[in-house]
Amino acid sequence: MKNFFSVEDVPNVYHLIQEAISIKQKPYDYQYIGKNKTIGLVFFNPSLRTRISCQKACFNLGCHTWILDLNKDSWKIEMNDGSIMKMKQEHIKEAISVMSRYCDILAVRTFPNLLDRDDDYKETIFKKIMTYSQVPVINMESATLHPLQSLADLITIAEYSSFFKKKSKVVLSWAPHVNPLPQSVANSFAQWISKIEQIDFVISCPKEYHLCEKFSLKSKIIHHQNEAFLGSDFIYAKNWSSYLYYGKVIQKDYSDWMITEQKMNITNQAKFMHCLPVRRNVVVEDSVLDSPNSIILQQAENRIFSAQIVFLKILQFLS
Ligand code: CP
């Protein structure tokens, strides 16, 4: 693997999941491969899990790492070409080019602006980053995708389904939130899960919240949450903002979309998933998050191994 932007960079998703599960058993087996290598982690947006799991993955592989939080630790970055830079001190062109000279792999997080749908869905910023970097680039969440999260999600589902031996019904359920959030986790999950034949995948969302067809075309969509939940083995809750009414806050009460214990009771004793951070009692009830069927912490732990297997593949490519 030369770069890791989306699932399309992965030759075989089943193999990658299997290798991630193996590396989880013996996380320090590849320390030789990271010797004298540096992975730079660059954040244009906040993070807890991505930042620390990637740092731990680097440690497991024997790599050095440095982290830059561009919100706090550096110059203000100008993203647009041709601008007269009176307000911002550094252009993304120099910033990325320079940072890529300080590492062997550059991992970057950038969120959408949620104003201009075309601009976000063209991945204008991430494409610039890939152009200006002189080393391989890893997507730690871009305007439309969060592939390290999706890989961790599939590792988790694989662990709880005997590596997809049993046909499972997985429901990605939209849930309410107080702010408009990116669509990246949901887009990416739909894209990755479409590669797994043994999964019956359903998206449950209000009609105003259909995802972009590019990612959800192969997915079954059910607008009634209870109907979608019937017989399901995994419920993955996530809020995302409207693709149709892009960047707009829809003034409607969606609180009855919150995931409750009552709704979980109509599933096939489904495992509950969420990528975190999660707003308790807005997105999902306490009793669901705290139940024995909640696998949110296992899912978060698997972020280490999704990052580690991707870093390993790129380090192997470089060696
Ligand atoms: N799930 C996830 O990406 O978490 P962070 O935003 O904390 O990195």
Side-chain angles (χ1 to χ4, degrees):
M1 219 183 320
K2 185 172 182 296
N3 291 297
F4 181 75
F5 175 70
S6 77
V7 71
E8 304 307 338
D9 295 307
V10 177
N12 185 315
V13 173
Y14 289 94
H15 287 172
L16 196 69
I17 297 168
Q18 187 71 70
E19 287 177 278
I21 291 171
S22 301
I23 214 169
K24 186 173 176 178
Q25 308 311 315
K26 294 186 171 183
Y28 308 116
D29 266 12
Y30 291 91
Q31 290 224 321
Y32 63 90
I33 206 155
K35 189 171 183 322
N36 296 332
K37 295 284 188 234
T38 302
I39 300 185
L41 307 177
V42 180
F43 291 87
F44 287 82
N45 303 90
S47 169
L48 186 154
R49 279 141 291 273
T50 306
R51 178 175 168 152
I52 301 173
S53 63
C54 286
Q55 198 173 12
K56 172 70 172 137
C58 290
F59 170 79
N60 288 357
L61 290 168
C63 296
H64 296 277
T65 183
W66 53 253
I67 300 176
L68 185 68
D69 180 343
L70 281 159
N71 283 308
K72 293 204 303 255
D73 303 335
S74 187
W75 308 112
K76 287 200 174 14
I77 305 292
E78 175 60 58
M79 299 292 194
N80 295 316
D81 298 333
S83 21
I84 300 165
M85 289 175 52
K86 291 195 175 166
M87 303 301 284
K88 294 180 179 167
Q89 297 94 343
E90 181 143 28
H91 198 274
I92 190 170
K93 189 168 188 175
E94 285 78 46
I96 294 294
S97 305
V98 168
M99 286 192 278
S100 74
R101 287 175 183 239
Y102 298 156
C103 58
D104 300 281
I105 297 173
L106 192 64
V108 185
R109 164 173 281 197
T110 64
F111 278 180
N113 60 31
L114 290 179
L115 297 171
D116 181 336
R117 190 171 83 176
D118 285 348
D119 202 42
D120 284 340
Y121 272 74
K122 276 189 216 149
E123 291 282 6
T124 310
I125 303 291
F126 215 88
K127 279 185 187 156
K128 283 185 188 181
I129 291 166
M130 294 181 90
T131 303
Y132 300 142
S133 175
Q134 294 165 19
V135 297
V137 176
I138 290 177
N139 182 352
M140 293 195 297
E141 189 167 354
S142 64
T144 66
L145 296 172
H146 195 353
L148 288 177
Q149 179 66 54
S150 310
L151 177 54
D153 300 338
L154 287 190
I155 294 167
T156 312
I157 293 173
E159 288 176 331
Y160 281 92
S161 67
S162 313
F163 201 80
F164 312 119
K165 274 205 186 76
K166 191 167 73 89
K167 184 128 183 135
S168 302
K169 177 176 174 184
V170 177
V171 178
L172 173 65
S173 180
W174 186 92
H177 203 275
V178 292
N179 296 319
L181 297 187
Q183 291 134 23
S184 52
V185 169
N187 284 340
S188 201
F189 187 68
Q191 197 182 33
W192 280 73
I193 212 161
S194 71
K195 308 284 178 190
I196 308 294
E197 283 175 15
Q198 299 87 336
I199 287 178
D200 173 17
F201 180 54
V202 174
I203 298 175
S204 177
C205 64
K207 58 183 184 318
E208 299 85 355
Y209 287 93
H210 280 197
L211 293 171
C212 172
E213 278 198 357
K214 179 179 170 194
F215 303 110
S216 61
L217 198 60
K218 294 182 190 165
S219 317
K220 192 187 301 173
I221 299 170
I222 298 180
H223 297 129
H224 299 283
Q225 207 178 24
N226 283 1
E227 184 191 331
F229 277 34
L230 268 177
S232 58
D233 302 294
F234 295 87
I235 298 294
Y236 191 157
K238 182 72 186 93
N239 172 271
W240 60 87
S241 55
S242 176
Y243 175 77
L244 189 62
Y245 305 103
Y246 203 74
K248 305 263 186 309
V249 176
I250 299 171
Q251 301 294 350
K252 202 166 154 182
D253 181 12
Y254 291 102
S255 53
D256 61 347
W257 277 82
M258 181 170 74
I259 315 295
T260 61
E261 198 175 343
Q262 200 180 12
K263 289 175 192 170
M264 291 301 288
N265 284 341
I266 61 176
T267 68
N268 184 26
Q269 294 187 307
K271 301 293 182 201
F272 177 80
M273 301 177 71
H274 190 286
C275 64
L276 305 182
V278 67
R279 293 201 184 222
R280 283 176 173 259
N281 305 309
V282 174
V283 172
V284 51
E285 270 182 356
D286 278 340
S287 57
V288 175
L289 278 171
D290 298 331
S291 85
N293 277 342
S294 168
I295 54 172
I296 54 171
L297 300 183
Q298 293 87 330
Q299 193 182 352
E301 185 184 350
N302 282 332
R303 291 295 308 273
I304 300 170
F305 307 103
S306 72
Q308 193 170 337
I309 195 65
V310 170
F311 292 166
L312 175 63
K313 291 289 165 195
I314 296 184
L315 288 168
Q316 284 170 336
F317 169 82
L318 292 174
S319 62

